[in-house]
Amino acid sequence: MKIHVLKDGDFCVDKNKVFTPLEELTSATGLKMAVQPFLIEVEDHVVLLDAGLGRYHKGSPVILNNLLVLGFNPSCITTILLSHLHKDHIAGLVNTQGNEWFLNFPDAKIYMQKREYLFAKSKTNNPSFDFDILDFITENGTIVWMDEDKGVICSEISFEVTGGHTPFHQVFLIRDKESIAFYGADNLPTAGYLKYPIAFKSDFDGKKAMEQRTEWEKLAKAEHWKVLLYHDMKRAILQF
């Protein structure tokens, strides 16, 4: 297994879910966080874990620039696993410059939890979602609809619907002969969530997410997990 961090940047997020790069601010009063998808190489798949905010640099999507630095073309991505459908986790799937829109990874299968999709579509006034992008992905991408509570994507990757941050939020465990990586997405977005046992009001079910983190930490210590942290500005991977 090889793990690569595809960092969009560090941002300040206001109450309207507007993400502003920290380097563009002289002062920041909102919530500060990184946005960093992960690229995972396993035996037969090149996997993208969530897709970032869709940020651009000099007219090109940051996620594609990051891949090129690593030596990957968009066509190399075989599998995209979405934890949930908030815009900072899916917008990097789409190139929305100009009047024409394109999928950044047209050859990849996109694994999306069907119940999470139906929940998202019911929240039409929620600024956490970008429905134009979500609709474009579902109408033009190769979607693998997931409707089970747990299962396997391939021999190295399993998933589980956990709820917590959103009603049908899901997490992923990646195993090979040498190591175990765990992606808890927004149920475990930073190392600080382990340090302080808090039920966050911003979560759909903060108590459930808090209880899950306690169990995950026990397993991480026992099995020496690499925990992938999507929103941590100081580190992307926490090694137990």
Side-chain angles (χ1 to χ4, degrees):
M1 181 197 316
K2 293 183 179 180
I3 303 171
H4 308 280
V5 183
L6 307 176
K7 187 167 183 175
D8 277 356
D10 295 328
F11 300 88
C12 182
V13 187
D14 67 18
K15 63 181 181 180
N16 296 315
K17 304 301 180 182
V18 175
F19 287 72
T20 304
L22 288 182
E23 66 265 25
E24 297 179 7
L25 298 172
T26 55
S27 63
T29 57
L31 183 64
K32 300 177 185 66
M33 66 176 68
V35 175
Q36 47 201 15
F38 295 90
L39 183 74
I40 310 293
E41 295 180 73
V42 293
E43 186 171 351
D44 296 317
H45 300 272
V46 180
V47 181
L48 190 63
L49 290 175
D50 286 335
L53 192 58
R55 188 183 183 191
Y56 294 85
H57 178 67
K58 295 183 179 179
S60 179
V62 169
I63 192 168
L64 298 187
N65 294 339
N66 287 339
L67 286 171
L68 289 174
V69 169
L70 294 170
F72 291 93
N73 292 316
S75 60
C76 295
I77 307 302
T78 63
T79 307
I80 298 167
L81 306 179
L82 300 178
S83 63
H84 63 296
L85 301 176
H86 285 166
K87 62 187 179 183
D88 58 312
H89 290 255
I90 70 166
L93 296 179
V94 178
N95 187 331
T96 59
Q97 298 180 88
N99 295 324
E100 292 190 72
W101 287 26
F102 304 93
L103 292 172
N104 281 330
F105 310 102
D107 300 320
K109 293 181 179 179
I110 302 171
Y111 285 74
M112 185 182 298
Q113 180 58 234
K114 184 63 176 286
R115 290 168 290 175
E116 182 71 10
Y117 171 75
L118 294 174
F119 167 76
K121 292 292 285 183
S122 73
K123 299 297 180 181
T124 53
N125 295 318
N126 189 327
S128 292
F129 299 101
D130 187 318
F131 295 101
D132 290 335
I133 288 177
L134 181 57
D135 289 344
F136 186 83
I137 293 167
T138 54
E139 291 168 7
N140 295 278
T142 302
I143 307 298
V144 179
W145 290 109
M146 307 166 72
D147 58 8
E148 297 180 343
D149 289 336
K150 60 175 62 178
V152 296
I153 305 297
C154 62
S155 58
E156 297 94 348
I157 304 174
S158 60
F159 73 92
E160 181 177 358
V161 176
T162 59
H165 183 63
T166 61
F168 300 101
H169 180 285
Q170 55 189 6
V171 303
F172 300 93
L173 196 70
I174 306 101
R175 294 176 179 266
D176 66 8
K177 295 179 180 179
E178 298 178 353
S179 59
I180 301 173
F182 175 75
Y183 180 53
D186 279 11
N187 277 4
L188 182 47
T190 73
Y193 275 52
L194 294 176
K195 186 176 181 181
Y196 303 104
I198 298 172
F200 290 94
K201 293 181 179 179
S202 57
D203 289 337
F204 179 80
D205 189 339
K207 182 179 178 181
K208 184 176 184 181
M210 178 183 67
E211 292 170 348
Q212 290 168 351
R213 287 190 288 271
T214 299
E215 295 304 313
W216 293 335
E217 185 174 17
K218 292 177 183 177
L219 288 170
K221 291 177 178 178
E223 300 180 355
H224 308 293
W225 287 1
K226 296 177 180 178
V227 176
L228 311 182
L229 303 169
Y230 193 80
H231 287 307
D232 198 309
M233 296 196 299
K234 295 182 178 180
R235 70 185 88 183
I237 302 172
L238 180 61
Q239 175 70 69
F240 280 88

